[in-house]
Amino acid sequence: MFITEAFAQTATPGGPGADIFMTVMPFLLIFVVMYFLIIRPQRAAMKRREELLKNIRRGDQVVTGGGIVGKVTKVVDDSELEVEIAEGVKVRVARSGISEVRVKGEPVKE
């Protein structure tokens, strides 16, 4: 009469540890799905872009982030390029400002 029905029930199967596992399981599943659908492809795209920017050479036709199309005339250093955007008009562009490489030029003979 003094004991309620909730106290009279048996313990959960598997003990209290199974209850915590079932609580954490959906979060782990969401993280795994996010990793394979978002994080992993983005890392691969970043690697491809980094490789593309690293391999820019003289003679490549590039498009800047602002949409200007030009031809690389000189690789100044690891972070800058000299791009000819019109005949006789050369500008210095940061490598990170290049959005795409359209035409690969011939390798430089040294």
Side-chain angles (χ1 to χ4, degrees), residues 11-64:
T12 58
D19 198 28
I20 293 173
F21 179 72
M22 293 307 288
T23 305
V24 174
M25 187 64 170
F27 293 110
L28 292 175
L29 185 63
I30 289 171
F31 179 75
V32 168
V33 169
M34 293 281 282
Y35 176 77
F36 282 106
L37 292 179
I38 297 173
I39 298 170
R40 193 165 173 235
Q42 189 164 357
R43 280 187 183 170
M46 284 174 44
K47 278 185 180 179
R48 281 193 306 269
R49 176 167 167 72
E50 186 178 306
E51 193 68 28
L52 176 83
L53 293 178
K54 189 172 80 172
N55 291 328
I56 293 177
R57 304 228 186 281
R58 189 175 73 207
D60 292 351
Q61 186 176 5
V62 296
V63 179
T64 65

Side-chain angles (χ1 to χ4, degrees), residues 69-108:
V69 179
K71 187 174 184 179
V72 177
T73 57
K74 181 180 175 184
V75 177
V76 178
D77 57 19
D78 288 342
S79 63
E80 287 187 2
L81 306 167
E82 188 174 274
V83 178
E84 184 175 26
I85 57 175
E87 192 173 324
V89 180
K90 296 179 181 178
V91 294
R92 290 178 89 168
V93 179
R95 279 188 195 255
S96 60
I98 301 295
S99 63
E100 79 176 273
V101 178
R102 286 204 173 159
V103 179
K104 296 294 284 179
E106 296 294 322
V108 178

